[in-house]
Amino acid sequence: MLHNQGLGFGLSTAPLMTSGKTRSISAENPRGEVGAGGKEASHLGVARKGRPCITLPKGATVTLMETDGPGVIQHFWITVTDRTDKGYFVLRDLVLRMYWDGEETPSVEVPLGDFFCNGFGTRCLVNSLPIVVNPTGGMNCYFPMPFRQSAKITVENQHAADIGGFFYQFSYTLVDQLPEEAGYFHAQWRRENLTTEGKDYTILDNVKGKGQYVGTYLAWAALERYWWGEGEIKFYMDGDEDWPTICGTGTEDYFGGAWCFYEKRDGKTVEVPYNTPYLGYPFYSKTDQTRAEQFGEDAVPMHGLYRWHLMDPIRFEEELKVTIQQIGHNSRDLFERTDDVSSVAYWYQAEPHAPFPVLPPAERRWPR
Protein backbone atom coordinates (compact mmCIF):
# COMPACT_ATOMS: atom_id res chain seq x y z
CA MET A 1 0.00 0.00 0.00
CA LEU A 2 1.13 3.55 -0.73
CA HIS A 3 1.09 4.65 2.91
CA ASN A 4 3.70 1.95 3.61
CA GLN A 5 5.94 3.69 1.08
CA GLY A 6 5.69 7.25 2.33
CA LEU A 7 2.79 8.23 0.07
CA GLY A 8 -1.00 8.26 0.25
CA PHE A 9 -1.33 9.63 3.76
CA GLY A 10 -4.54 11.22 5.01
CA LEU A 11 -7.10 11.12 7.78
CA SER A 12 -8.28 7.61 6.86
CA THR A 13 -4.74 6.18 7.02
CA ALA A 14 -3.76 7.92 10.27
CA PRO A 15 -4.25 4.76 12.42
CA LEU A 16 -2.22 2.51 10.08
CA MET A 17 1.29 1.74 11.33
CA THR A 18 4.08 1.35 8.78
CA SER A 19 7.73 0.35 8.57
CA GLY A 20 8.82 3.81 7.41
CA LYS A 21 11.33 5.77 9.49
CA THR A 22 10.41 9.36 10.29
CA ARG A 23 13.24 11.90 10.13
CA SER A 24 13.51 15.68 10.37
CA ILE A 25 16.15 18.20 9.33
CA SER A 26 16.39 21.67 10.83
CA ALA A 27 19.06 24.02 12.12
CA GLU A 28 18.89 22.02 15.38
CA ASN A 29 19.67 18.74 13.55
CA PRO A 30 21.08 19.72 10.12
CA ARG A 31 21.75 16.15 8.97
CA GLY A 32 18.66 14.49 10.38
CA GLU A 33 20.72 12.08 12.43
CA VAL A 34 19.18 9.72 14.96
CA GLY A 35 19.37 11.12 18.48
CA ALA A 36 21.30 14.20 17.35
CA GLY A 37 18.79 17.04 17.63
CA GLY A 38 18.93 20.08 19.89
CA LYS A 39 22.50 19.73 21.14
CA GLU A 40 23.60 23.35 20.72
CA ALA A 41 23.87 25.66 23.72
CA SER A 42 22.30 29.07 24.33
CA HIS A 43 22.67 31.42 27.30
CA LEU A 44 20.10 29.16 28.99
CA GLY A 45 22.50 26.23 28.77
CA VAL A 46 23.17 23.16 26.62
CA ALA A 47 20.23 21.94 24.53
CA ARG A 48 18.18 25.06 25.33
CA LYS A 49 17.28 26.47 21.90
CA GLY A 50 20.90 26.89 20.91
CA ARG A 51 20.55 26.94 17.11
CA PRO A 52 16.95 27.49 15.96
CA CYS A 53 17.94 29.34 12.80
CA ILE A 54 20.83 30.22 10.51
CA THR A 55 22.23 33.27 8.74
CA LEU A 56 22.38 33.34 4.94
CA PRO A 57 25.53 35.22 3.85
CA LYS A 58 25.20 37.56 0.90
CA GLY A 59 25.87 35.66 -2.34
CA ALA A 60 26.04 32.25 -0.65
CA THR A 61 24.22 29.05 -1.51
CA VAL A 62 23.37 27.13 1.66
CA THR A 63 22.33 23.48 1.74
CA LEU A 64 19.23 23.12 3.89
CA MET A 65 18.67 19.40 3.42
CA GLU A 66 20.77 16.55 2.07
CA THR A 67 19.98 12.90 2.68
CA ASP A 68 20.09 9.49 1.06
CA GLY A 69 16.99 7.60 -0.04
CA PRO A 70 14.68 6.09 -0.77
CA GLY A 71 12.25 8.39 0.95
CA VAL A 72 9.53 11.05 0.66
CA ILE A 73 9.56 14.63 1.89
CA GLN A 74 6.09 15.09 3.35
CA HIS A 75 6.13 18.61 4.79
CA PHE A 76 8.48 21.54 5.15
CA TRP A 77 8.22 24.91 6.82
CA ILE A 78 10.31 28.04 6.29
CA THR A 79 10.19 31.56 7.64
CA VAL A 80 12.58 34.45 7.20
CA THR A 81 12.71 38.14 7.90
CA ASP A 82 11.54 39.93 4.76
CA ARG A 83 13.15 43.28 5.54
CA THR A 84 16.80 44.20 5.96
CA ASP A 85 18.81 47.38 6.12
CA LYS A 86 19.55 46.92 2.41
CA GLY A 87 15.93 47.09 1.26
CA TYR A 88 12.96 44.87 0.61
CA PHE A 89 12.07 42.05 -1.82
CA VAL A 90 13.88 39.39 0.23
CA LEU A 91 11.27 36.81 -0.76
CA ARG A 92 12.23 37.20 -4.43
CA ASP A 93 15.96 37.54 -3.71
CA LEU A 94 16.15 34.05 -2.17
CA VAL A 95 16.15 31.17 -4.67
CA LEU A 96 14.91 27.72 -3.61
CA ARG A 97 16.37 24.75 -5.52
CA MET A 98 15.77 20.99 -5.22
CA TYR A 99 17.80 18.13 -6.67
CA TRP A 100 16.75 14.48 -6.82
CA ASP A 101 19.03 11.43 -7.10
CA GLY A 102 22.25 13.34 -7.68
CA GLU A 103 21.10 15.30 -10.74
CA GLU A 104 23.28 18.23 -11.80
CA THR A 105 20.48 20.67 -12.67
CA PRO A 106 17.63 21.35 -10.23
CA SER A 107 14.11 20.01 -10.62
CA VAL A 108 12.87 23.02 -8.63
CA GLU A 109 14.19 26.56 -9.15
CA VAL A 110 11.85 29.25 -7.82
CA PRO A 111 12.15 32.46 -5.79
CA LEU A 112 11.23 31.53 -2.25
CA GLY A 113 8.14 33.70 -1.91
CA ASP A 114 6.68 32.72 -5.27
CA PHE A 115 7.02 29.02 -4.45
CA PHE A 116 4.67 29.66 -1.52
CA CYS A 117 2.26 31.80 -3.60
CA ASN A 118 3.72 35.00 -2.14
CA GLY A 119 4.90 36.87 -5.22
CA PHE A 120 5.88 40.52 -5.69
CA GLY A 121 8.24 40.34 -2.70
CA THR A 122 5.26 40.85 -0.38
CA ARG A 123 3.47 38.55 2.05
CA CYS A 124 -0.09 37.29 2.10
CA LEU A 125 -1.95 34.48 3.85
CA VAL A 126 -2.60 31.30 1.84
CA ASN A 127 -4.96 28.57 3.03
CA SER A 128 -4.88 25.65 0.60
CA LEU A 129 -4.10 21.94 0.77
CA PRO A 130 -0.51 21.83 -0.54
CA ILE A 131 0.60 25.39 0.28
CA VAL A 132 -0.21 27.22 3.51
CA VAL A 133 1.15 30.59 4.61
CA ASN A 134 0.24 31.61 8.15
CA PRO A 135 0.90 34.75 10.22
CA THR A 136 3.49 36.15 10.11
CA GLY A 137 5.23 34.59 7.12
CA GLY A 138 5.09 30.95 8.23
CA MET A 139 5.39 29.18 4.85
CA ASN A 140 4.37 25.51 4.62
CA CYS A 141 4.47 22.96 1.79
CA TYR A 142 2.67 19.59 1.77
CA PHE A 143 3.46 18.46 -1.78
CA PRO A 144 4.87 14.92 -1.38
CA MET A 145 8.36 14.74 -2.90
CA PRO A 146 9.68 11.20 -3.50
CA PHE A 147 13.37 10.48 -4.04
CA ARG A 148 15.05 7.16 -4.65
CA GLN A 149 18.78 7.74 -4.20
CA SER A 150 19.10 11.17 -2.62
CA ALA A 151 17.48 14.56 -1.98
CA LYS A 152 19.26 17.91 -1.80
CA ILE A 153 17.60 21.27 -1.14
CA THR A 154 19.44 24.59 -1.21
CA VAL A 155 18.66 28.29 -0.88
CA GLU A 156 20.76 31.00 -2.52
CA ASN A 157 20.90 34.50 -1.07
CA GLN A 158 20.96 36.93 -3.99
CA HIS A 159 19.98 39.84 -1.73
CA ALA A 160 22.24 42.84 -1.23
CA ALA A 161 23.05 41.89 2.37
CA ASP A 162 23.36 38.97 4.75
CA ILE A 163 20.00 37.65 5.95
CA GLY A 164 19.70 36.53 9.53
CA GLY A 165 16.84 34.69 11.13
CA PHE A 166 16.29 32.01 8.47
CA PHE A 167 14.27 29.20 10.09
CA TYR A 168 13.38 25.88 8.45
CA GLN A 169 12.30 22.30 9.11
CA PHE A 170 11.95 19.42 6.64
CA SER A 171 9.96 16.34 7.68
CA TYR A 172 10.41 13.15 5.65
CA THR A 173 10.08 9.38 5.77
CA LEU A 174 12.71 6.86 4.75
CA VAL A 175 11.19 3.77 3.12
CA ASP A 176 12.40 0.45 1.76
CA GLN A 177 11.09 1.05 -1.75
CA LEU A 178 9.04 3.53 -3.77
CA PRO A 179 6.36 2.58 -6.30
CA GLU A 180 7.68 2.44 -9.84
CA GLU A 181 5.05 4.96 -10.96
CA ALA A 182 6.10 7.62 -8.40
CA GLY A 183 7.25 10.69 -10.31
CA TYR A 184 9.61 13.43 -9.19
CA PHE A 185 8.38 16.84 -8.07
CA HIS A 186 9.25 19.84 -10.26
CA ALA A 187 8.57 23.59 -10.08
CA GLN A 188 9.70 26.37 -12.40
CA TRP A 189 9.43 30.18 -12.26
CA ARG A 190 9.04 32.46 -15.26
CA ARG A 191 8.42 36.15 -15.80
CA GLU A 192 7.78 38.65 -18.54
CA ASN A 193 7.87 42.15 -17.05
CA LEU A 194 6.19 43.36 -20.21
CA THR A 195 4.28 40.75 -22.19
CA THR A 196 3.93 40.98 -25.96
CA GLU A 197 0.58 42.15 -27.30
CA GLY A 198 -1.31 39.31 -28.94
CA LYS A 199 1.21 36.65 -27.85
CA ASP A 200 0.33 34.14 -25.15
CA TYR A 201 2.45 34.16 -21.99
CA THR A 202 4.33 30.88 -21.47
CA ILE A 203 3.87 29.32 -18.04
CA LEU A 204 5.75 26.11 -18.93
CA ASP A 205 7.41 24.67 -22.02
CA ASN A 206 9.87 22.02 -23.14
CA VAL A 207 8.69 19.38 -20.69
CA LYS A 208 9.66 15.98 -22.07
CA GLY A 209 8.65 12.57 -20.79
CA LYS A 210 5.69 11.19 -18.85
CA GLY A 211 4.11 13.07 -16.00
CA GLN A 212 1.24 15.12 -14.65
CA TYR A 213 0.77 18.82 -14.11
CA VAL A 214 -0.51 19.65 -10.61
CA GLY A 215 -0.55 23.40 -10.11
CA THR A 216 -0.22 27.01 -11.26
CA TYR A 217 0.58 30.20 -9.38
CA LEU A 218 0.27 33.56 -11.14
CA ALA A 219 1.55 36.93 -9.89
CA TRP A 220 -0.14 39.34 -12.29
CA ALA A 221 0.61 43.07 -12.21
CA ALA A 222 -1.93 44.91 -14.37
CA LEU A 223 -0.19 47.64 -16.37
CA GLU A 224 -3.27 48.81 -18.30
CA ARG A 225 -6.71 50.00 -17.25
CA TYR A 226 -9.89 47.94 -17.10
CA TRP A 227 -10.51 44.27 -16.38
CA TRP A 228 -7.40 42.19 -16.99
CA GLY A 229 -8.50 38.55 -16.81
CA GLU A 230 -10.25 37.47 -20.02
CA GLY A 231 -7.28 35.37 -21.17
CA GLU A 232 -7.72 31.62 -21.60
CA ILE A 233 -5.21 29.08 -20.29
CA LYS A 234 -4.10 26.38 -22.74
CA PHE A 235 -2.47 22.97 -22.28
CA TYR A 236 -0.60 21.61 -25.32
CA MET A 237 0.35 17.96 -24.88
CA ASP A 238 1.65 14.93 -26.74
CA GLY A 239 1.87 16.28 -30.27
CA ASP A 240 -0.40 19.35 -30.07
CA GLU A 241 0.98 22.08 -32.34
CA ASP A 242 -1.32 24.88 -33.47
CA TRP A 243 -4.20 24.07 -31.14
CA PRO A 244 -4.24 22.75 -27.55
CA THR A 245 -6.13 19.73 -26.29
CA ILE A 246 -7.30 21.67 -23.22
CA CYS A 247 -8.41 25.30 -23.39
CA GLY A 248 -10.08 27.24 -20.57
CA THR A 249 -12.66 30.02 -20.77
CA GLY A 250 -10.99 32.87 -18.87
CA THR A 251 -8.44 33.67 -16.20
CA GLU A 252 -10.85 34.04 -13.26
CA ASP A 253 -12.68 30.91 -14.48
CA TYR A 254 -9.48 28.84 -14.37
CA PHE A 255 -8.90 29.91 -10.77
CA GLY A 256 -12.44 28.92 -9.82
CA GLY A 257 -13.96 32.39 -9.67
CA ALA A 258 -16.40 34.14 -11.97
CA TRP A 259 -17.40 37.53 -13.35
CA CYS A 260 -14.12 39.32 -12.58
CA PHE A 261 -14.28 38.33 -8.88
CA TYR A 262 -16.62 41.34 -8.51
CA GLU A 263 -19.07 41.84 -5.67
CA LYS A 264 -21.03 44.85 -4.45
CA ARG A 265 -19.81 45.94 -1.03
CA ASP A 266 -20.83 49.19 0.66
CA GLY A 267 -22.17 50.42 -2.64
CA LYS A 268 -18.92 49.78 -4.50
CA THR A 269 -17.95 47.07 -6.97
CA VAL A 270 -14.76 45.42 -5.70
CA GLU A 271 -12.62 42.40 -6.48
CA VAL A 272 -12.88 39.89 -3.63
CA PRO A 273 -9.90 37.69 -2.68
CA TYR A 274 -10.49 34.15 -1.37
CA ASN A 275 -8.72 30.95 -0.27
CA THR A 276 -10.02 27.40 -0.80
CA PRO A 277 -8.28 24.00 -0.67
CA TYR A 278 -7.72 23.75 -4.44
CA LEU A 279 -7.94 27.29 -5.84
CA GLY A 280 -7.66 30.82 -4.62
CA TYR A 281 -7.09 34.52 -5.13
CA PRO A 282 -5.26 35.33 -1.88
CA PHE A 283 -3.60 38.60 -2.88
CA TYR A 284 -5.05 41.77 -4.36
CA SER A 285 -3.44 45.16 -3.85
CA LYS A 286 -3.97 48.49 -5.51
CA THR A 287 -1.23 49.99 -3.33
CA ASP A 288 1.89 48.01 -2.52
CA GLN A 289 2.54 49.13 1.05
CA THR A 290 6.08 47.76 0.95
CA ARG A 291 7.04 49.98 -1.98
CA ALA A 292 5.08 52.92 -0.59
CA GLU A 293 7.08 52.75 2.64
CA GLN A 294 10.40 52.46 0.84
CA PHE A 295 9.96 54.74 -2.16
CA GLY A 296 6.96 56.91 -1.28
CA GLU A 297 4.99 55.78 -4.32
CA ASP A 298 2.12 53.51 -5.23
CA ALA A 299 2.35 50.44 -7.44
CA VAL A 300 0.09 49.14 -10.17
CA PRO A 301 -2.73 46.74 -9.18
CA MET A 302 -1.31 43.32 -8.31
CA HIS A 303 -3.07 39.97 -8.24
CA GLY A 304 -1.88 36.63 -6.83
CA LEU A 305 -3.78 33.44 -7.79
CA TYR A 306 -3.31 29.68 -7.38
CA ARG A 307 -4.92 26.55 -8.86
CA TRP A 308 -4.03 23.02 -7.67
CA HIS A 309 -4.82 20.15 -10.06
CA LEU A 310 -4.79 17.58 -7.26
CA MET A 311 -8.22 16.18 -8.06
CA ASP A 312 -7.87 16.80 -11.80
CA PRO A 313 -4.19 16.39 -12.79
CA ILE A 314 -3.23 17.21 -16.38
CA ARG A 315 -1.67 13.92 -17.49
CA PHE A 316 0.78 13.77 -20.39
CA GLU A 317 2.77 10.93 -21.95
CA GLU A 318 5.52 12.66 -23.93
CA GLU A 319 5.46 16.46 -23.67
CA LEU A 320 3.67 19.47 -22.21
CA LYS A 321 3.40 23.22 -22.81
CA VAL A 322 1.19 25.61 -20.82
CA THR A 323 0.30 29.18 -21.88
CA ILE A 324 -2.17 31.92 -20.98
CA GLN A 325 -3.48 34.87 -22.97
CA GLN A 326 -3.43 38.50 -21.85
CA ILE A 327 -6.86 39.71 -22.90
CA GLY A 328 -8.91 42.41 -21.18
CA HIS A 329 -12.39 43.88 -21.37
CA ASN A 330 -13.29 47.56 -21.13
CA SER A 331 -17.08 47.09 -20.71
CA ARG A 332 -17.51 47.49 -24.46
CA ASP A 333 -15.27 44.87 -26.03
CA LEU A 334 -12.29 42.55 -25.63
CA PHE A 335 -8.81 43.96 -26.20
CA GLU A 336 -5.23 42.66 -26.22
CA ARG A 337 -3.22 43.69 -23.13
CA THR A 338 0.41 43.92 -22.11
CA ASP A 339 1.06 43.28 -18.42
CA ASP A 340 3.79 42.16 -16.00
CA VAL A 341 3.23 38.43 -15.41
CA SER A 342 5.16 35.97 -13.26
CA SER A 343 4.29 32.32 -12.72
CA VAL A 344 5.21 29.09 -11.01
CA ALA A 345 4.37 25.77 -12.66
CA TYR A 346 4.23 22.66 -10.44
CA TRP A 347 4.35 19.15 -11.90
CA TYR A 348 5.58 15.57 -11.48
CA GLN A 349 7.48 13.66 -14.13
CA ALA A 350 9.95 10.88 -14.76
CA GLU A 351 13.57 11.98 -14.88
CA PRO A 352 15.60 13.24 -16.60
CA HIS A 353 13.98 16.63 -17.13
CA ALA A 354 14.80 19.14 -19.85
CA PRO A 355 16.96 22.15 -18.87
CA PHE A 356 15.13 25.13 -17.37
CA PRO A 357 15.37 28.66 -18.77
CA VAL A 358 18.06 30.78 -17.11
CA LEU A 359 16.66 32.41 -13.98
CA PRO A 360 16.78 36.22 -14.29
CA PRO A 361 19.01 38.06 -11.79
CA ALA A 362 17.43 39.39 -8.61
CA GLU A 363 16.97 42.95 -9.87
CA ARG A 364 15.00 41.62 -12.86
CA ARG A 365 12.66 39.71 -10.56
CA TRP A 366 11.50 42.68 -8.47
CA PRO A 367 7.97 43.99 -9.05
CA ARG A 368 7.51 47.08 -11.14
Side-chain angles (χ1 to χ4, degrees):
M1 297 177 67
L2 288 179
H3 70 274
N4 285 324
Q5 302 171 73
L7 298 167
F9 283 96
L11 191 60
S12 63
T13 61
L16 303 180
M17 295 180 286
T18 79
S19 59
K21 296 177 175 61
T22 299
R23 298 289 183 264
S24 177
I25 286 178
S26 70
E28 291 281 18
N29 188 355
R31 290 176 294 277
E33 296 173 317
V34 175
K39 291 183 176 181
E40 299 288 339
S42 72
H43 71 281
L44 300 177
V46 176
R48 305 302 294 172
K49 203 176 175 78
R51 193 175 186 263
C53 63
I54 61 175
T55 295
L56 303 179
K58 173 186 173 182
T61 297
V62 176
T63 297
L64 303 177
M65 174 181 179
E66 189 165 18
T67 189
D68 293 331
V72 181
I73 300 171
Q74 294 165 319
H75 167 257
F76 66 92
W77 162 86
I78 291 174
T79 192
V80 59
T81 178
D82 62 356
R83 300 184 179 188
T84 74
D85 58 359
K86 296 295 184 181
Y88 298 85
F89 311 129
V90 167
L91 294 178
R92 271 203 171 161
D93 288 350
L94 298 178
V95 181
L96 184 68
R97 297 186 178 94
M98 303 184 188
Y99 304 79
W100 313 124
D101 296 356
E103 61 187 355
E104 295 184 3
T105 60
S107 291
V108 171
E109 186 176 49
V110 181
L112 183 70
D114 291 70
F115 183 89
F116 291 98
C117 303
N118 273 224
F120 306 110
T122 59
R123 291 189 304 205
C124 70
L125 301 183
V126 179
N127 186 12
S128 75
L129 278 179
I131 298 292
V132 178
V133 180
N134 296 321
T136 305
M139 300 177 286
N140 298 264
C141 174
Y142 282 95
F143 277 114
M145 301 179 183
F147 54 95
R148 290 175 172 83
Q149 299 173 23
S150 64
K152 180 179 178 181
I153 299 177
T154 69
V155 63
E156 181 181 359
N157 179 11
Q158 297 182 352
H159 195 59
D162 294 351
I163 296 175
F166 187 91
F167 296 77
Y168 64 95
Q169 185 154 14
F170 293 85
S171 301
Y172 60 103
T173 296
L174 297 176
V175 300
D176 295 328
Q177 184 179 354
L178 285 170
E180 183 178 348
E181 63 270 25
Y184 293 91
F185 181 79
H186 292 69
Q188 181 185 115
W189 188 83
R190 291 184 180 228
R191 182 194 186 189
E192 292 182 26
N193 64 3
L194 184 62
T195 59
T196 301
E197 185 174 311
K199 180 182 178 182
D200 294 358
Y201 170 84
T202 298
I203 296 172
L204 184 63
D205 196 7
N206 198 34
V207 174
K208 306 296 181 184
K210 182 176 182 177
Q212 51 197 39
Y213 187 88
V214 294
T216 307
Y217 169 67
L218 285 184
W220 193 302
L223 304 183
E224 300 190 30
R225 293 181 63 195
Y226 305 113
W227 168 242
W228 51 275
E230 290 297 328
E232 298 172 347
I233 194 166
K234 305 174 185 177
F235 293 88
Y236 299 81
M237 61 188 73
D238 300 339
D240 290 344
E241 294 185 1
D242 294 333
W243 311 107
T245 294
I246 297 174
C247 183
T249 60
T251 304
E252 82 272 47
D253 308 344
Y254 172 70
F255 292 100
W259 304 114
C260 311
F261 309 119
Y262 288 166
E263 285 188 4
K264 286 280 190 180
R265 294 193 174 181
D266 298 325
K268 297 180 180 179
T269 301
V270 295
E271 294 182 40
V272 181
Y274 57 92
N275 277 285
T276 76
Y278 300 113
L279 17 77
Y281 178 27
F283 184 75
Y284 169 50
S285 175
K286 284 189 174 181
T287 301
D288 180 357
Q289 190 63 30
T290 296
R291 292 189 69 214
E293 290 175 2
Q294 185 180 8
F295 301 117
E297 62 182 21
D298 290 347
V300 299
M302 297 178 294
H303 313 268
L305 311 101
Y306 64 83
R307 164 75 183 266
W308 308 127
H309 292 273
L310 299 178
M311 303 300 288
D312 57 343
I314 308 297
R315 299 176 178 88
F316 54 94
E317 292 290 330
E318 298 177 355
E319 57 189 355
L320 179 68
K321 178 180 179 180
V322 186
T323 68
I324 192 168
Q325 301 164 325
Q326 299 87 64
I327 296 177
H329 197 285
N330 59 13
S331 79
R332 297 183 301 275
D333 205 353
L334 299 172
F335 68 98
E336 300 282 0
R337 298 179 57 95
T338 55
D339 290 313
D340 179 348
V341 182
S342 304
S343 61
V344 182
Y346 307 78
W347 76 101
Y348 290 90
Q349 71 163 91
E351 291 287 5
H353 64 266
F356 286 12
V358 176
L359 190 71
E363 62 271 15
R364 297 297 297 164
R365 300 197 298 266
W366 294 344
R368 298 174 72 94

